[in-house]
Amino acid sequence: MPLRERETPRLQADADGIAQAAALLRGGGLVAIPTETVYGLAADATSGEAVAGIYAAKERPSFNPLIAHLPDLAAARRQGVFDAHALALARAFWPGPLTLVVPAGPDCTVCDLARAGLPSVALRVPAHPVAQAVLQAAGRPIAAPSANRSGRISATSAAHVLADLAGRIDAVLDAGPCEVGVESTIVSCLDGAPRLLRPGGIPRAAIEAVIGRPLVLAGEAGMAPISPGLLASHYAPAARVRLEAEAPRAGEAWLGFGPEPDAALPEESLNLSPAGDLREAASRLFGHLRRLDAMGPAIIAVAAIPQEGLGEAINDRLARAAAPR
Ligand code: TXA
Ligand code: MG
């Protein structure tokens, strides 16, 4: 599908901007919308043509299925079949940064292309009030992957969206920076055994507390990745990334966490959270990676991040940014 060059206006997230965004979506357009995790590149999930536009704008491999966004659990249950675990998780964490992969229901209207031909469907009810308003006004499931070009760092502000997608989408609805900063946690509930497909904004321990048992991480050694977002190289800055660094070496940019090391820091230096707060670090992760990368270093050295709470999602994204490509 040829990519149509177009103006990409920045709409304000007021009643008028929300109405314009919803009208564009109902007409088959592409609009980047804010959610509490990252900006999503939204399109009508029931329209194959609209969804094809997402893949074209992102230059995304078309085998990647997309998340369908709904305003509430009742709307989500019209699309998918919820077992007891899925229901408990939805009630505990929706609206919020959780995506549930469930069997598609008999009346599912999410098109085949958005589901990549799978018998399952990924559903999410976002908490962001602007996303909520757009979903209410659109009145149909809205497909929305992160609003960045495929393989690039996810967008957590309207400026990031425009840097990747200006001229390729119909509008961006600007509601300022995203609060959570990493994508939703994805859990599949397909065969009675909930699996963690992607660590994200809801920590694993909070999910395990609700289902009362440990989650298996799909895609761990030897398992085929069921969630293509788990493919190794993803979220890639232009610079190479060196993980769990104690301090920057000569010539490296530095991305710190917690107190800075005693070593001299380069000019290209940012800190995810000087206080060592994992929430703050998650919300700054993609923005800081973009800012450091734009300074053109060959290598970004990153301080160690504890593997607890949101640290699991942060380390997952950093490992992908560091993967060989
Ligand atoms: O926070 C988020 O989840 C953001 C905001 C915009 O909602 N969206 C997002 O979408 O991160 P995306 O497309 O970048 O990631 C969707 C992930 C992909 O890894 C995809 O493979 C997985 O969801 N997925 C979607 N449908 C699936 C299915 N039926 N089975 C397994 N994985 C699925
Ligand atoms: Mg993405």
Side-chain angles (χ1 to χ4, degrees), residues 35 37-40 58 60 64-67 69 99 101 115 118 120-122 124 144-146 182-184 186 197-198 226-230:
T35 81
T37 56
V38 298
Y39 274 73
K58 279 183 67 97
R60 179 177 214 179
N64 262 20
L66 305 176
I67 298 170
H69 297 70
T99 295
V101 173
R115 285 159 47 197
L118 295 170
S120 56
V121 63
R124 164 154 131 79
S146 50
V182 291
E183 294 88 340
S184 60
I186 307 182
L197 301 191
R198 178 178 75 184
I226 342 177
S227 200
L230 291 172

Side-chain angles (χ1 to χ4, degrees), residues 220-320:
E220 257 168 14
M223 286 185 69
I226 342 177
S227 200
L230 291 172
L231 289 173
S233 170
H234 206 82
Y235 305 103
R240 285 198 292 124
V241 173
R242 184 167 72 84
L243 299 178
E244 295 183 42
E246 278 175 16
R249 296 176 186 149
E252 289 180 339
W254 174 245
L255 184 58
F257 175 82
E260 297 290 17
D262 275 336
L265 295 183
E267 211 170 297
E268 300 82 10
S269 172
L270 293 172
N271 195 301
L272 289 169
S273 172
D277 176 342
L278 288 166
R279 279 175 183 268
E280 182 176 50
S283 72
R284 291 180 175 171
L285 176 67
F286 293 131
H288 276 14
L289 277 175
R290 274 182 189 258
R291 276 173 61 194
L292 287 177
D293 202 32
M295 298 173 193
I299 299 175
I300 301 172
V302 186
I305 312 284
Q307 181 74 354
E308 65 196 33
L310 289 181
E312 185 174 11
I314 296 171
N315 284 324
D316 172 81
R317 304 307 186 275
L318 284 171
R320 283 171 221 293

